[in-house]
Amino acid sequence: MSQPLWGGRFTQPTDQFVQEFTASITFDQRLYRYDIQGSMAHCRMLARQGILTTAEADQILAGLTDILTDIEAGRFDFSVALEDIHMNIEARLIERIGPVGGKLHTARSRNDQVAVDIRLYLRDEIAAILAFLTSLQGALLDQAEANLDTLMPGYTHLQTAQPVLLAHHLLAYFEMLQRDRGRLQDCSRRLNQLPLGAGALAGTTFPIDREWVAQQLGFAGVTRNSLDSVSDRDFALEFCAASATLMMHLSRLAEELILWSSADFDFIELSDAFCTGSSIMPQKKNPDVPELVRGKTGRVYGNLISLLTLMKALPLAYNKDMQEDKEPLFDSIDTVKGSLKIFADMIAQMRIKVGNMRTAAARGFSTATDVADYCVRKGLPFRQAHEVVGKTVRYCVETGKDIPDLSLEEFRRFSPLIEADIYDFVTLEASVNARTATGGTARSAVAGEIVRARQQLEGAC
Protein backbone atom coordinates (compact mmCIF):
# COMPACT_ATOMS: atom_id res chain seq x y z
CA MET A 1 0.00 0.00 0.00
CA SER A 2 1.45 3.36 -1.03
CA GLN A 3 -1.59 5.65 -0.68
CA PRO A 4 -2.31 7.55 2.53
CA LEU A 5 -4.82 6.05 4.94
CA TRP A 6 -6.70 9.33 5.21
CA GLY A 7 -7.58 9.69 1.50
CA GLY A 8 -11.36 9.25 1.74
CA ARG A 9 -12.00 13.01 1.92
CA PHE A 10 -9.92 13.80 -1.16
CA THR A 11 -10.71 13.60 -4.90
CA GLN A 12 -7.20 14.37 -6.17
CA PRO A 13 -3.92 12.69 -5.31
CA THR A 14 -1.36 14.66 -3.33
CA ASP A 15 1.24 16.42 -5.43
CA GLN A 16 4.47 14.38 -5.55
CA PHE A 17 6.62 17.22 -4.25
CA VAL A 18 4.09 17.98 -1.50
CA GLN A 19 4.34 14.32 -0.44
CA GLU A 20 8.08 14.59 -0.17
CA PHE A 21 8.00 18.02 1.48
CA THR A 22 5.48 17.04 4.16
CA ALA A 23 6.74 13.52 4.88
CA SER A 24 8.70 12.81 8.05
CA ILE A 25 9.53 9.15 7.45
CA THR A 26 13.12 9.96 6.48
CA PHE A 27 13.85 10.92 10.08
CA ASP A 28 11.03 9.61 12.28
CA GLN A 29 11.62 6.01 11.25
CA ARG A 30 13.98 5.78 14.21
CA LEU A 31 10.83 5.74 16.38
CA TYR A 32 9.70 2.38 14.94
CA ARG A 33 10.34 0.33 18.07
CA TYR A 34 8.46 2.78 20.27
CA ASP A 35 5.59 3.09 17.81
CA ILE A 36 5.16 -0.68 17.84
CA GLN A 37 5.60 -0.83 21.62
CA GLY A 38 2.88 1.77 22.12
CA SER A 39 0.60 0.08 19.56
CA MET A 40 0.92 -3.26 21.28
CA ALA A 41 -0.04 -1.82 24.65
CA HIS A 42 -2.95 0.04 23.03
CA CYS A 43 -4.10 -3.15 21.30
CA ARG A 44 -4.04 -5.17 24.51
CA MET A 45 -6.03 -2.46 26.27
CA LEU A 46 -8.65 -2.43 23.50
CA ALA A 47 -9.09 -6.18 23.89
CA ARG A 48 -9.14 -5.93 27.67
CA GLN A 49 -11.93 -3.34 27.42
CA GLY A 50 -13.92 -5.44 24.94
CA ILE A 51 -13.39 -2.95 22.10
CA LEU A 52 -11.48 -5.63 20.17
CA THR A 53 -12.00 -9.37 20.40
CA THR A 54 -9.20 -11.53 21.73
CA ALA A 55 -8.80 -13.08 18.29
CA GLU A 56 -8.49 -9.68 16.63
CA ALA A 57 -5.95 -8.53 19.20
CA ASP A 58 -3.91 -11.71 18.73
CA GLN A 59 -3.82 -11.15 14.96
CA ILE A 60 -2.74 -7.54 15.38
CA LEU A 61 -0.06 -8.38 17.94
CA ALA A 62 1.36 -11.15 15.76
CA GLY A 63 1.42 -8.81 12.78
CA LEU A 64 3.21 -6.07 14.74
CA THR A 65 5.77 -8.59 15.98
CA ASP A 66 6.49 -9.66 12.39
CA ILE A 67 6.83 -6.04 11.28
CA LEU A 68 9.30 -5.34 14.10
CA THR A 69 11.34 -8.36 13.01
CA ASP A 70 11.33 -7.18 9.38
CA ILE A 71 12.42 -3.64 10.27
CA GLU A 72 15.30 -4.84 12.43
CA ALA A 73 16.36 -7.29 9.71
CA GLY A 74 16.34 -4.53 7.09
CA ARG A 75 13.45 -6.07 5.16
CA PHE A 76 11.06 -3.11 5.50
CA ASP A 77 10.77 -0.53 2.74
CA PHE A 78 9.63 2.82 4.11
CA SER A 79 7.32 4.80 1.83
CA VAL A 80 7.37 8.60 1.57
CA ALA A 81 3.78 8.44 0.29
CA LEU A 82 2.75 7.08 3.69
CA GLU A 83 4.27 10.13 5.34
CA ASP A 84 5.45 8.90 8.72
CA ILE A 85 6.42 5.92 10.81
CA HIS A 86 2.88 5.47 12.16
CA MET A 87 1.20 5.14 8.77
CA ASN A 88 4.03 3.04 7.32
CA ILE A 89 3.59 0.48 10.08
CA GLU A 90 -0.21 0.57 10.02
CA ALA A 91 -0.34 0.18 6.22
CA ARG A 92 2.02 -2.80 6.38
CA LEU A 93 -0.08 -4.30 9.16
CA ILE A 94 -3.24 -4.07 7.02
CA GLU A 95 -1.37 -5.64 4.11
CA ARG A 96 -0.28 -8.49 6.36
CA ILE A 97 -3.46 -9.35 8.26
CA GLY A 98 -6.23 -7.66 6.28
CA PRO A 99 -8.92 -5.18 7.36
CA VAL A 100 -8.63 -6.18 11.03
CA GLY A 101 -5.35 -4.28 11.06
CA GLY A 102 -7.34 -1.10 10.57
CA LYS A 103 -8.99 -1.64 13.94
CA LEU A 104 -5.73 -0.90 15.75
CA HIS A 105 -6.25 2.83 15.30
CA THR A 106 -9.55 2.75 17.22
CA ALA A 107 -9.63 5.32 20.05
CA ARG A 108 -6.39 7.06 19.11
CA SER A 109 -4.95 9.62 16.68
CA ARG A 110 -1.55 10.13 15.20
CA ASN A 111 -1.42 13.21 17.44
CA ASP A 112 -1.41 11.27 20.70
CA GLN A 113 0.44 8.37 19.05
CA VAL A 114 3.48 10.49 18.16
CA ALA A 115 3.39 12.10 21.58
CA VAL A 116 3.75 8.74 23.31
CA ASP A 117 6.39 7.57 20.81
CA ILE A 118 8.61 10.57 21.49
CA ARG A 119 8.23 10.23 25.25
CA LEU A 120 9.12 6.53 25.17
CA TYR A 121 12.07 7.24 22.90
CA LEU A 122 13.40 10.18 24.89
CA ARG A 123 13.04 8.30 28.16
CA ASP A 124 15.34 5.56 26.85
CA GLU A 125 17.76 8.03 25.29
CA ILE A 126 18.10 9.96 28.54
CA ALA A 127 18.96 6.69 30.29
CA ALA A 128 21.63 6.03 27.65
CA ILE A 129 23.02 9.57 28.00
CA LEU A 130 23.20 9.16 31.77
CA ALA A 131 25.27 5.99 31.26
CA PHE A 132 27.69 7.89 28.99
CA LEU A 133 27.79 10.69 31.57
CA THR A 134 28.74 8.15 34.23
CA SER A 135 31.64 6.93 32.07
CA LEU A 136 32.98 10.46 31.62
CA GLN A 137 32.65 11.27 35.32
CA GLY A 138 34.41 8.01 36.13
CA ALA A 139 37.28 8.93 33.80
CA LEU A 140 37.60 12.32 35.50
CA LEU A 141 37.69 10.67 38.93
CA ASP A 142 40.33 8.18 37.78
CA GLN A 143 42.55 10.99 36.54
CA ALA A 144 41.92 12.99 39.73
CA GLU A 145 42.87 10.04 41.91
CA ALA A 146 46.02 9.41 39.87
CA ASN A 147 46.99 13.09 40.18
CA LEU A 148 46.23 13.78 43.80
CA ASP A 149 49.73 15.27 44.22
CA THR A 150 49.97 17.03 40.85
CA LEU A 151 50.28 20.79 41.29
CA MET A 152 49.11 23.23 38.64
CA PRO A 153 48.38 26.95 38.42
CA GLY A 154 44.83 27.98 39.18
CA TYR A 155 43.70 30.85 37.00
CA THR A 156 41.38 33.82 37.08
CA HIS A 157 41.18 35.98 33.92
CA LEU A 158 43.51 33.28 32.51
CA GLN A 159 46.25 34.79 34.70
CA THR A 160 48.06 32.77 37.35
CA ALA A 161 46.15 33.17 40.61
CA GLN A 162 46.96 30.48 43.19
CA PRO A 163 48.36 26.97 43.00
CA VAL A 164 45.82 24.14 43.05
CA LEU A 165 45.85 20.40 42.63
CA LEU A 166 44.97 19.04 39.20
CA ALA A 167 42.60 16.68 41.01
CA HIS A 168 40.73 19.68 42.43
CA HIS A 169 40.49 21.21 38.96
CA LEU A 170 39.08 18.01 37.44
CA LEU A 171 36.57 17.65 40.27
CA ALA A 172 35.09 21.00 39.27
CA TYR A 173 33.96 19.39 36.01
CA PHE A 174 32.63 16.39 37.91
CA GLU A 175 30.38 18.76 39.86
CA MET A 176 29.16 20.47 36.69
CA LEU A 177 28.33 17.13 35.12
CA GLN A 178 26.59 16.02 38.31
CA ARG A 179 24.22 18.97 38.00
CA ASP A 180 23.69 18.05 34.36
CA ARG A 181 22.73 14.58 35.56
CA GLY A 182 20.13 16.09 37.87
CA ARG A 183 18.64 18.19 35.10
CA LEU A 184 18.32 15.17 32.82
CA GLN A 185 16.79 13.09 35.59
CA ASP A 186 14.26 15.84 36.29
CA CYS A 187 13.40 15.98 32.60
CA SER A 188 12.92 12.21 32.48
CA ARG A 189 10.67 12.34 35.53
CA ARG A 190 8.47 15.08 34.11
CA LEU A 191 8.08 13.52 30.66
CA ASN A 192 7.10 10.15 32.14
CA GLN A 193 3.35 10.69 31.74
CA LEU A 194 1.22 8.86 29.18
CA PRO A 195 -0.51 11.10 26.59
CA LEU A 196 -2.17 8.22 24.72
CA GLY A 197 -5.94 8.49 24.95
CA ALA A 198 -6.05 12.19 24.21
CA GLY A 199 -7.01 11.37 20.63
CA ALA A 200 -6.64 14.15 18.10
CA LEU A 201 -7.27 16.77 20.78
CA ALA A 202 -10.48 16.00 22.71
CA GLY A 203 -10.22 12.42 23.97
CA THR A 204 -12.34 9.52 22.75
CA THR A 205 -15.87 8.16 23.19
CA PHE A 206 -14.55 4.64 23.72
CA PRO A 207 -14.21 3.25 27.28
CA ILE A 208 -10.41 3.04 27.27
CA ASP A 209 -8.22 2.43 30.33
CA ARG A 210 -5.35 4.93 30.17
CA GLU A 211 -3.97 4.03 33.58
CA TRP A 212 -3.59 0.39 32.53
CA VAL A 213 -1.72 1.40 29.36
CA ALA A 214 0.50 3.72 31.41
CA GLN A 215 1.38 0.85 33.71
CA GLN A 216 2.16 -1.45 30.77
CA LEU A 217 4.50 1.12 29.22
CA GLY A 218 6.22 2.04 32.48
CA PHE A 219 4.79 5.55 32.78
CA ALA A 220 4.35 7.03 36.24
CA GLY A 221 0.89 8.37 35.39
CA VAL A 222 -1.27 9.90 32.66
CA THR A 223 -1.51 13.42 31.32
CA ARG A 224 -4.59 15.27 32.56
CA ASN A 225 -5.64 17.56 29.71
CA SER A 226 -6.21 16.23 26.20
CA LEU A 227 -5.38 19.54 24.49
CA ASP A 228 -2.13 19.82 26.40
CA SER A 229 -1.33 16.15 25.79
CA VAL A 230 -1.10 16.47 22.02
CA SER A 231 0.33 20.00 21.82
CA ASP A 232 2.90 19.77 24.61
CA ARG A 233 6.56 19.63 23.64
CA ASP A 234 8.05 21.34 26.66
CA PHE A 235 9.58 18.04 27.74
CA ALA A 236 11.59 18.10 24.50
CA LEU A 237 12.48 21.75 25.12
CA GLU A 238 13.59 20.88 28.63
CA PHE A 239 15.79 18.12 27.29
CA CYS A 240 17.32 20.42 24.69
CA ALA A 241 17.96 23.06 27.36
CA ALA A 242 19.65 20.49 29.61
CA SER A 243 21.65 19.28 26.61
CA ALA A 244 22.77 22.81 25.77
CA THR A 245 23.99 23.30 29.35
CA LEU A 246 25.77 19.95 29.30
CA MET A 247 27.46 20.80 26.00
CA MET A 248 28.49 24.17 27.41
CA HIS A 249 30.29 22.34 30.21
CA LEU A 250 31.96 19.99 27.74
CA SER A 251 32.96 22.97 25.63
CA ARG A 252 34.66 24.62 28.60
CA LEU A 253 36.59 21.43 29.30
CA ALA A 254 37.39 21.15 25.59
CA GLU A 255 38.83 24.66 25.60
CA GLU A 256 41.12 23.83 28.49
CA LEU A 257 42.31 20.61 26.87
CA ILE A 258 43.07 22.54 23.69
CA LEU A 259 45.08 25.13 25.63
CA TRP A 260 46.81 22.57 27.82
CA SER A 261 47.91 20.48 24.83
CA SER A 262 49.44 23.48 23.04
CA ALA A 263 53.20 24.01 23.03
CA ASP A 264 52.72 27.19 25.06
CA PHE A 265 51.13 25.35 27.99
CA ASP A 266 52.40 21.79 27.39
CA PHE A 267 50.47 20.43 30.39
CA ILE A 268 49.02 17.33 28.73
CA GLU A 269 49.35 15.07 25.74
CA LEU A 270 46.22 13.70 24.12
CA SER A 271 46.40 10.23 22.65
CA ASP A 272 47.11 10.05 18.91
CA ALA A 273 43.75 8.29 18.59
CA PHE A 274 41.98 11.59 19.28
CA CYS A 275 44.15 13.90 17.19
CA THR A 276 44.93 14.51 13.53
CA GLY A 277 47.80 15.97 11.58
CA SER A 278 48.23 18.75 9.03
CA SER A 279 48.25 18.26 5.26
CA ILE A 280 51.15 20.70 4.96
CA MET A 281 52.91 20.93 8.35
CA PRO A 282 54.34 17.54 9.30
CA GLN A 283 54.99 18.46 12.93
CA LYS A 284 51.38 19.24 13.78
CA LYS A 285 49.23 17.22 16.19
CA ASN A 286 45.85 18.88 16.25
CA PRO A 287 43.34 18.36 19.09
CA ASP A 288 40.47 17.77 16.68
CA VAL A 289 38.15 15.96 19.09
CA PRO A 290 37.90 18.72 21.71
CA GLU A 291 37.75 21.30 18.92
CA LEU A 292 34.82 19.47 17.31
CA VAL A 293 32.97 19.12 20.60
CA ARG A 294 33.50 22.84 21.19
CA GLY A 295 32.07 23.47 17.73
CA LYS A 296 29.16 21.04 18.08
CA THR A 297 28.04 22.92 21.17
CA GLY A 298 26.73 25.63 18.85
CA ARG A 299 24.46 23.25 16.97
CA VAL A 300 22.93 22.01 20.24
CA TYR A 301 22.29 25.64 21.22
CA GLY A 302 20.70 26.09 17.78
CA ASN A 303 18.45 23.07 18.29
CA LEU A 304 17.09 24.60 21.49
CA ILE A 305 16.42 27.92 19.75
CA SER A 306 14.75 26.07 16.85
CA LEU A 307 12.33 24.32 19.19
CA LEU A 308 11.60 27.45 21.19
CA THR A 309 10.90 29.36 17.99
CA LEU A 310 8.79 26.50 16.62
CA MET A 311 6.50 26.46 19.65
CA LYS A 312 6.35 30.16 20.50
CA ALA A 313 3.12 31.07 18.67
CA LEU A 314 1.26 27.82 18.09
CA PRO A 315 -2.42 27.83 19.04
CA LEU A 316 -3.88 24.74 20.67
CA ALA A 317 -3.85 21.95 19.81
CA TYR A 318 -1.74 20.05 17.25
CA ASN A 319 -0.30 21.89 14.23
CA LYS A 320 1.78 20.47 11.38
CA ASP A 321 4.59 22.80 12.45
CA MET A 322 5.20 20.38 15.29
CA GLN A 323 6.56 17.80 12.86
CA GLU A 324 9.68 19.97 12.97
CA ASP A 325 10.26 19.03 16.62
CA LYS A 326 12.00 15.76 15.84
CA GLU A 327 15.09 16.66 13.86
CA PRO A 328 16.44 19.17 16.42
CA LEU A 329 15.65 16.73 19.22
CA PHE A 330 17.25 13.78 17.44
CA ASP A 331 20.32 15.83 16.54
CA SER A 332 20.80 16.98 20.13
CA ILE A 333 20.53 13.40 21.37
CA ASP A 334 23.06 12.11 18.84
CA THR A 335 25.47 14.99 19.46
CA VAL A 336 25.38 14.70 23.25
CA LYS A 337 25.83 10.92 23.21
CA GLY A 338 28.73 11.08 20.79
CA SER A 339 30.44 13.92 22.65
CA LEU A 340 30.17 12.18 26.03
CA LYS A 341 31.43 8.87 24.70
CA ILE A 342 34.46 10.30 22.94
CA PHE A 343 35.34 12.56 25.88
CA ALA A 344 35.23 9.66 28.33
CA ASP A 345 37.67 7.69 26.19
CA MET A 346 39.92 10.69 25.57
CA ILE A 347 40.13 11.73 29.23
CA ALA A 348 40.95 8.17 30.25
CA GLN A 349 43.93 8.09 27.87
CA MET A 350 45.17 11.64 28.51
CA ARG A 351 48.80 11.86 29.70
CA ILE A 352 49.57 14.50 32.34
CA LYS A 353 52.91 16.32 32.21
CA VAL A 354 53.35 16.69 35.95
CA GLY A 355 56.65 18.57 35.89
CA ASN A 356 55.44 21.17 33.42
CA MET A 357 52.34 21.83 35.48
CA ARG A 358 54.37 22.31 38.63
CA THR A 359 56.79 24.67 36.91
CA ALA A 360 53.89 26.75 35.64
CA ALA A 361 52.31 26.81 39.10
CA ALA A 362 55.50 28.33 40.51
CA ARG A 363 55.38 31.22 38.05
CA GLY A 364 53.35 34.39 38.35
CA PHE A 365 53.76 34.88 42.14
CA SER A 366 51.05 32.33 42.83
CA THR A 367 51.72 32.28 46.59
CA ALA A 368 51.28 36.03 47.05
CA THR A 369 47.88 35.62 48.71
CA ASP A 370 49.47 33.29 51.26
CA VAL A 371 51.93 36.01 52.22
CA ALA A 372 49.02 38.42 52.70
CA ASP A 373 47.19 35.87 54.87
CA TYR A 374 50.41 35.38 56.85
CA CYS A 375 50.62 39.11 57.54
CA VAL A 376 46.99 39.16 58.67
CA ARG A 377 47.76 36.37 61.14
CA LYS A 378 50.57 38.56 62.48
CA GLY A 379 48.06 41.33 63.22
CA LEU A 380 48.08 43.46 60.07
CA PRO A 381 44.65 44.48 58.66
CA PHE A 382 44.04 42.72 55.35
CA ARG A 383 44.00 45.90 53.25
CA GLN A 384 47.41 46.87 54.62
CA ALA A 385 48.64 43.32 54.12
CA HIS A 386 47.40 43.47 50.51
CA GLU A 387 49.46 46.63 49.95
CA VAL A 388 52.55 45.12 51.59
CA VAL A 389 52.43 42.08 49.31
CA GLY A 390 51.70 44.24 46.25
CA LYS A 391 54.92 46.14 46.91
CA THR A 392 56.74 42.87 47.50
CA VAL A 393 55.57 41.55 44.12
CA ARG A 394 56.64 44.78 42.40
CA TYR A 395 60.07 44.35 43.97
CA CYS A 396 60.20 40.78 42.68
CA VAL A 397 59.32 41.94 39.16
CA GLU A 398 62.04 44.58 39.26
CA THR A 399 64.68 42.18 40.58
CA GLY A 400 63.66 39.11 38.58
CA LYS A 401 62.93 37.06 41.69
CA ASP A 402 59.99 34.97 42.86
CA ILE A 403 58.43 35.26 46.30
CA PRO A 404 59.91 32.05 47.80
CA ASP A 405 63.38 33.20 46.64
CA LEU A 406 63.39 36.36 48.79
CA SER A 407 65.60 36.48 51.84
CA LEU A 408 64.11 37.27 55.23
CA GLU A 409 65.84 40.64 55.08
CA GLU A 410 64.13 41.40 51.77
CA PHE A 411 60.73 40.35 53.17
CA ARG A 412 61.19 42.58 56.20
CA ARG A 413 61.81 45.61 53.98
CA PHE A 414 58.06 45.61 53.42
CA SER A 415 56.86 44.62 56.90
CA PRO A 416 58.73 44.10 60.18
CA LEU A 417 56.00 41.60 61.18
CA ILE A 418 57.41 39.02 58.77
CA GLU A 419 59.57 36.43 60.53
CA ALA A 420 61.52 33.32 59.60
CA ASP A 421 58.40 31.15 59.62
CA ILE A 422 57.25 32.90 56.42
CA TYR A 423 58.96 30.10 54.48
CA ASP A 424 56.49 27.61 55.93
CA PHE A 425 53.74 29.40 53.98
CA VAL A 426 55.17 30.30 50.58
CA THR A 427 55.92 26.89 49.04
CA LEU A 428 53.43 25.51 46.54
CA GLU A 429 52.55 22.56 48.77
CA ALA A 430 52.05 24.76 51.82
CA SER A 431 49.85 27.11 49.82
CA VAL A 432 47.64 24.29 48.52
CA ASN A 433 47.35 22.45 51.82
CA ALA A 434 46.56 25.59 53.82
CA ARG A 435 43.13 25.77 52.17
CA THR A 436 41.23 23.15 54.14
CA ALA A 437 37.78 24.72 54.32
CA THR A 438 34.83 23.05 52.58
CA GLY A 439 35.61 22.78 48.89
CA GLY A 440 39.24 23.67 49.59
CA THR A 441 42.33 22.58 47.68
CA ALA A 442 44.18 20.76 50.46
CA ARG A 443 45.19 17.24 49.52
CA SER A 444 43.14 15.76 52.36
CA ALA A 445 40.07 17.75 51.33
CA VAL A 446 40.42 16.76 47.67
CA ALA A 447 40.92 13.11 48.58
CA GLY A 448 37.73 13.26 50.60
CA GLU A 449 35.90 14.84 47.67
CA ILE A 450 37.01 12.01 45.39
CA VAL A 451 35.60 9.45 47.82
CA ARG A 452 32.33 11.37 48.06
CA ALA A 453 32.12 11.73 44.28
CA ARG A 454 32.64 8.00 43.76
CA GLN A 455 29.86 7.28 46.22
CA GLN A 456 27.59 9.65 44.31
CA LEU A 457 28.44 7.92 41.05
CA GLU A 458 27.83 4.48 42.49
CA GLY A 459 24.49 5.67 43.84
CA ALA A 460 23.55 7.02 40.41
CA CYS A 461 24.27 3.66 38.83
Side-chain angles (χ1 to χ4, degrees):
M1 183 183 295
S2 60
Q3 294 303 312
L5 300 179
W6 43 258
R9 162 68 175 79
F10 293 79
T11 59
Q12 291 181 310
T14 307
D15 180 86
Q16 178 64 33
F17 181 72
V18 171
Q19 282 187 354
E20 295 171 0
F21 186 76
T22 60
S24 60
I25 189 60
T26 55
F27 50 85
D28 72 8
Q29 60 185 263
R30 71 164 67 189
L31 297 175
Y32 74 88
R33 175 177 291 278
Y34 303 97
D35 194 72
I36 292 173
Q37 183 183 354
S39 291
M40 286 181 161
H42 181 68
C43 176
R44 293 188 180 100
M45 181 274 295
L46 292 177
R48 190 169 181 268
Q49 296 299 105
I51 301 168
L52 292 180
T53 67
T54 301
E56 288 171 333
D58 287 345
Q59 277 186 274
I60 292 171
L61 292 171
L64 289 172
T65 300
D66 290 343
I67 290 170
L68 178 59
T69 300
D70 285 349
I71 294 175
E72 295 191 333
R75 296 193 298 265
F76 192 102
D77 293 325
F78 295 101
S79 168
V80 170
L82 291 170
E83 298 183 28
D84 56 36
I85 187 62
H86 324 296
M87 292 178 69
N88 268 265
I89 290 174
E90 184 177 341
R92 182 63 62 87
L93 180 66
I94 293 171
E95 283 182 4
R96 286 266 176 108
I97 68 174
V100 68
K103 294 189 174 185
L104 173 61
H105 208 56
T106 304
R108 74 174 181 181
S109 163
R110 280 189 294 171
N111 294 357
D112 59 349
Q113 189 177 354
V114 69
V116 73
D117 288 3
I118 296 174
R119 287 171 185 257
L120 287 169
Y121 168 76
L122 186 52
R123 190 175 68 185
D124 277 1
E125 290 296 340
I126 289 176
I129 288 170
L130 290 173
F132 284 122
L133 192 58
T134 296
S135 296
L136 174 54
Q137 288 182 289
L140 287 169
L141 288 181
D142 289 344
Q143 283 285 13
E145 201 162 45
N147 288 279
L148 198 48
D149 295 308
T150 300
L151 289 159
M152 67 171 290
Y155 299 97
T156 62
H157 307 277
L158 207 56
Q159 304 295 313
T160 300
Q162 292 178 283
V164 298
L165 295 174
L166 173 59
H168 187 65
H169 193 108
L170 295 176
L171 284 173
Y173 286 103
F174 178 94
E175 295 298 328
M176 295 179 206
L177 296 176
Q178 193 67 2
R179 292 191 295 275
D180 291 322
R181 178 185 299 279
R183 278 182 280 270
L184 289 167
Q185 289 171 332
D186 286 346
C187 176
S188 186
R189 176 176 56 81
R190 267 186 287 277
L191 71 82
N192 200 30
Q193 302 289 313
L194 175 77
L196 204 60
L201 76 161
T204 177
T205 60
F206 291 93
I208 62 174
D209 187 344
R210 299 184 66 212
E211 285 73 14
W212 187 86
V213 176
Q215 185 180 41
Q216 295 301 302
L217 293 175
F219 285 104
V222 298
T223 55
R224 294 300 174 187
N225 183 284
S226 61
L227 289 165
D228 177 57
S229 298
V230 296
S231 63
D232 164 41
R233 291 296 184 271
D234 57 14
F235 64 90
L237 283 166
E238 184 175 3
F239 171 79
C240 286
S243 295
T245 304
L246 169 55
M247 289 299 295
M248 176 270 293
H249 288 148
L250 292 185
S251 185
R252 294 184 70 182
L253 178 55
E255 174 71 8
E256 297 208 297
L257 296 180
I258 292 163
L259 288 172
W260 291 357
S261 62
S262 69
D264 301 281
F265 278 78
D266 201 22
F267 286 178
I268 63 170
E269 182 175 5
L270 298 175
S271 168
D272 289 354
F274 303 95
C275 299
T276 64
S278 165
S279 63
I280 189 173
M281 295 170 283
Q283 84 281 10
K284 295 291 295 299
K285 181 177 177 179
N286 299 325
D288 277 17
V289 165
E291 287 177 353
L292 266 176
V293 169
R294 185 177 60 181
K296 286 177 181 292
T297 300
R299 68 190 291 163
V300 177
Y301 288 2
N303 291 335
L304 171 60
I305 297 301
S306 292
L307 276 177
L308 285 168
T309 306
L310 171 70
M311 298 300 297
K312 75 176 180 64
L314 292 185
L316 294 177
Y318 184 83
N319 297 269
K320 188 67 170 179
D321 314 47
M322 292 169 66
Q323 182 173 289
E324 291 294 302
D325 63 349
K326 297 174 194 63
E327 288 180 287
L329 177 63
F330 295 165
D331 183 70
S332 289
I333 289 168
D334 294 343
T335 302
V336 168
K337 285 169 66 177
S339 299
L340 287 171
K341 180 183 185 307
I342 205 164
F343 253 53
D345 295 339
M346 182 175 62
I347 293 294
Q349 298 180 44
M350 179 175 67
R351 183 172 72 86
I352 310 300
K353 298 185 177 182
V354 177
N356 290 356
M357 281 193 169
R358 181 187 176 87
T359 299
R363 294 194 295 263
F365 314 109
S366 62
T367 59
T369 303
D370 301 283
V371 179
D373 289 346
Y374 170 89
C375 292
V376 170
R377 290 190 180 92
K378 293 293 185 178
L380 202 61
F382 181 79
R383 282 301 161 207
Q384 292 181 32
H386 189 285
E387 183 179 0
V388 164
V389 180
K391 291 178 178 178
T392 305
V393 168
R394 185 172 62 193
Y395 172 79
C396 288
V397 171
E398 292 169 351
T399 58
K401 294 183 177 182
D402 200 358
I403 288 175
D405 301 328
L406 297 180
S407 66
L408 181 58
E409 181 182 352
E410 288 174 304
F411 270 121
R412 291 176 66 85
R413 290 176 59 177
F414 304 100
S415 174
L417 295 176
I418 297 177
E419 300 174 351
D421 60 348
I422 184 65
Y423 298 105
D424 295 332
F425 294 88
V426 294
T427 65
L428 296 178
E429 285 79 6
S431 175
V432 165
N433 287 315
R435 296 187 287 276
T436 57
T438 302
T441 64
R443 187 187 190 281
S444 58
V446 174
E449 283 300 297
I450 291 174
V451 171
R452 181 193 62 82
R454 287 207 184 278
Q455 290 171 344
Q456 279 187 304
L457 211 53
E458 289 168 5
C461 295

